[in-house]
Amino acid sequence: MKKVLIAALAIAAFATAAQAGGIVTVTPEIVVVEDTAASNGGIFVPIFALLLLIMLHHG
């Protein structure tokens, strides 16, 4: 039982020492990408859906 306790304490000591240098002091810069789509780009889907409904109704 003593050997298991000593091994567990040794592992805990080495694990905390390994974690000591893992602190990040410099954060990366945030990159903002601007969208270059046209302002009327969202009108095609509703028009297509309306035409599809009209075609199905009269078909």
Side-chain angles (χ1 to χ4, degrees):
M1 188 69 175
K2 287 183 182 180
K3 290 182 182 180
V4 174
L5 181 62
I6 292 172
L9 289 174
I11 291 172
F14 288 123
T16 55
Q19 295 287 338
I23 299 173
V24 177
T25 58
V26 178
T27 57
E29 295 180 14
I30 298 174
V31 178
V32 178
V33 178
E34 293 184 13
D35 191 15
T36 58
S39 62
N40 62 351
I43 194 68
F44 294 113
V45 173
I47 288 176
F48 182 72
L50 185 62
L51 288 174
L52 183 66
L53 288 173
I54 291 171
M55 285 174 40
L56 288 176
H57 186 273
H58 291 290

